[in-house]
Amino acid sequence: MLNPFEKLQIPPKANQTIDTMLKRLPKIGGTTVRDREIRRLKEYYERIKKYYDFVEQFPKIDELHPFYLEATRIMTDINKLRICLSVTKKTSVISMKILKKYINQIRKSPENESNRIMRQAFGRVSSVLRKSSECIDRVIDVAKELKKIQGIDPTLPTIVVAGPPNVGKSTLVSKISTAKPEIASYPFTTKEVHVGHVILDDFRIQVIDTPGILDRPEAERNRIERKATNAIRNLNGIIVFMFDSSISSVLSVEGQIELFREVKLLKKIVIPVINKIDEKYEEYYKKIVDFLLSEGNEWHEISAEKGIGIDKLKEELFNLVKSSGTNEVSRD
Ligand code: GDP
């Protein structure tokens, strides 16, 4: 599925359009004064029409995939967005009407009135636009952010790879998916997300890592990151949680356990995996194993880098994701 915002043409912010038009005015000429003033208003009309087209092309909120809806919600209150879409449309319709009316008036009036009428029209339209600028700009900001989401297809069955920083998430993505993972962007993180694909019996699976989203405890995430986590719920699939058993682990074992507990709230199926088994540090390894045993978890032990335990993990993950369907857990 294509990002529904991918092809959306986003107009400049309202005040920017006014400023651009002000700068353009002296540069627009014509065969006569009347002709020049009509051309000026026509150009303004074309620029305003971009707002109309923008709203018309804006994907229908009620038809958005939950992943995109959630991403939208991260940015703005949905009802406010609906109102702002309608304000943007109304503003453009009214402004276009005003411009048409004044263009006609210039045509019918004596030529020496043309410049005065153009100025009046310009002032009125700019004031209408300015009054709605906050709303128009909000819609533009939302669209710009959503347009950035690339490479993630929320309709595909997905394996999300989570875990502390440096645990080996992107290494695992590249080990379990066939092609070289692409770099994608996830809403509201500036970090690169790796997306790999696996084709299995005509079945396409997407594998993504989650830098900056699911890699540190909730309390350390900012508001946007916390909300970004929520969008993960709307990806259709399962989560692999990687524990780091090496001495170089960024998070303490306790920190990793806390993170694992939080990640478990996101999806029904969360598979624990202990990574860096080739360099395991006995004390950490034992603490992780004791915790997993105490909670009745089954886990995999792997070395993503050395390829140890990967085939068995792959087999289980692919079987689970194929049969997982939608396995969102309820929102809190
Ligand atoms: P991410 O930040 O979780 O995506 O981690 P990366 O995949 O970028 O890996 C971080 C570092 O750990 C890299 O230097 C990897 O080479 C290394 N690494 C990943 N998996 C293993 C492993 O199984 N064993 C060891 N020893 N190093 C690993």
Side-chain angles (χ1 to χ4, degrees):
M1 187 185 92
L2 207 64
N3 175 345
F5 294 88
E6 193 167 312
K7 297 211 164 134
L8 184 63
Q9 303 276 337
I10 304 176
K13 295 224 167 142
N15 282 318
Q16 201 182 325
T17 293
I18 300 171
D19 289 349
T20 309
M21 250 339 275
L22 271 172
K23 286 194 194 113
R24 287 279 306 140
L25 281 185
K27 296 187 184 123
I28 303 170
T31 48
T32 60
V33 174
R34 177 181 281 127
D35 179 48
R36 181 187 70 198
E37 305 307 351
I38 289 175
R39 278 171 192 254
R40 286 174 167 170
L41 293 188
K42 277 191 174 164
E43 178 161 333
Y44 209 176
Y45 184 95
E46 288 309 317
R47 289 180 190 269
I48 298 285
K49 189 166 174 295
K50 293 205 164 89
Y51 294 100
Y52 180 83
D53 295 341
F54 170 59
V55 177
E56 287 294 283
Q57 286 168 15
F58 199 93
K60 301 274 164 290
I61 293 174
D62 295 328
E63 290 168 17
L64 281 181
H65 184 281
F67 176 78
Y68 285 101
L69 186 62
E70 193 61 45
T72 310
R73 209 176 267 136
I74 291 169
M75 291 217 64
T76 184
D77 176 87
I78 297 288
N79 284 332
K80 179 84 184 153
L81 178 65
R82 286 187 207 277
I83 293 168
C84 282
L85 278 163
S86 140
V87 167
T88 306
K89 185 163 172 178
K90 267 193 205 141
T91 304
S92 61
V93 170
I94 291 170
S95 302
M96 288 191 297
K97 267 194 191 152
I98 295 174
L99 288 164
K100 269 194 177 160
K101 193 184 113 196
Y102 279 91
I103 289 171
N104 277 334
Q105 202 179 321
I106 293 177
R107 285 203 177 104
K108 287 187 205 139
S109 306
E111 182 140 6
N112 63 2
E113 290 283 296
S114 303
N115 184 261
R116 184 190 59 77
I117 299 169
M118 188 284 292
R119 282 175 189 281
Q120 207 178 345
F122 192 93
R124 274 194 67 190
V125 167
S126 303
S127 133
V128 169
L129 205 55
R130 226 174 257 126
K131 268 194 202 126
S132 308
S133 63
E134 199 187 310
C135 237
I136 294 174
D137 294 354
R138 177 187 289 250
V139 183
I140 289 173
D141 284 338
V142 170
K144 276 189 183 157
E145 202 57 50
L146 294 172
K147 211 178 154 128
K148 281 192 213 153
I149 305 175
Q150 275 171 11
I152 297 171
D153 182 346
T155 62
L156 286 180
T158 302
I159 297 170
V160 176
V161 181
N166 222 41
V167 64
K169 296 183 292 294
S170 68
T171 310
L172 184 65
V173 170
S174 67
K175 283 287 155 79
I176 61 178
S177 53
T178 43
K180 191 171 172 285
E182 297 146 29
I183 303 294
S185 62
Y186 188 83
F188 317 107
T189 61
T190 47
K191 306 227 171 93
E192 288 177 337
V193 177
H194 300 91
V195 182
H197 292 98
V198 187
I199 313 261
L200 204 74
D201 311 331
D202 291 339
F203 199 79
R204 196 178 172 87
I205 297 171
Q206 171 177 250
V207 188
I208 62 171
D209 66 357
T210 52
I213 309 167
L214 295 179
D215 63 4
R216 56 200 182 287
E218 169 109 28
E220 287 172 29
R221 280 180 233 147
N222 66 29
R223 193 180 62 91
I224 293 286
E225 285 168 338
R226 237 173 278 154
K227 287 184 166 184
T229 313
N230 264 336
I232 296 259
R233 293 174 196 265
N234 297 299
L235 291 173
N236 170 24
I238 61 171
I239 298 181
V240 177
F241 184 90
M242 296 177 86
F243 286 92
D244 192 335
S245 64
S246 74
I247 188 81
S248 53
S249 167
V250 172
L251 287 188
S252 64
V253 172
E254 291 71 26
Q256 298 191 52
I257 290 172
E258 191 186 339
L259 187 57
F260 175 67
R261 290 211 166 105
E262 284 166 14
V263 169
K264 272 190 102 167
L265 299 174
L266 291 175
K267 283 277 175 198
K268 272 190 197 142
I269 303 179
V270 178
I271 307 292
V273 165
I274 305 178
N275 192 35
K276 302 198 183 177
I277 210 71
D278 56 312
E279 274 188 9
K280 73 176 171 192
Y281 181 63
E282 252 339 296
E283 185 193 328
Y284 294 173
Y285 171 77
K286 189 170 176 314
K287 272 193 194 169
I288 298 168
V289 166
D290 286 349
F291 160 74
L292 290 171
L293 277 175
S294 73
E295 301 223 330
N297 292 290
E298 288 186 10
W299 68 93
H300 285 255
E301 296 190 2
I302 64 164
S303 166
E305 194 168 71
K306 303 249 153 54
I308 303 167
I310 298 293
D311 287 345
K312 213 169 130 231
L313 174 65
K314 254 165 104 168
E315 195 184 321
E316 182 181 354
L317 296 180
F318 294 163
N319 285 335
L320 279 172
V321 80
K322 271 170 77 174
S323 55
S324 70
T326 301
N327 53 30
E328 280 170 50
V329 291
S330 58
R331 273 159 213 281
D332 43 24

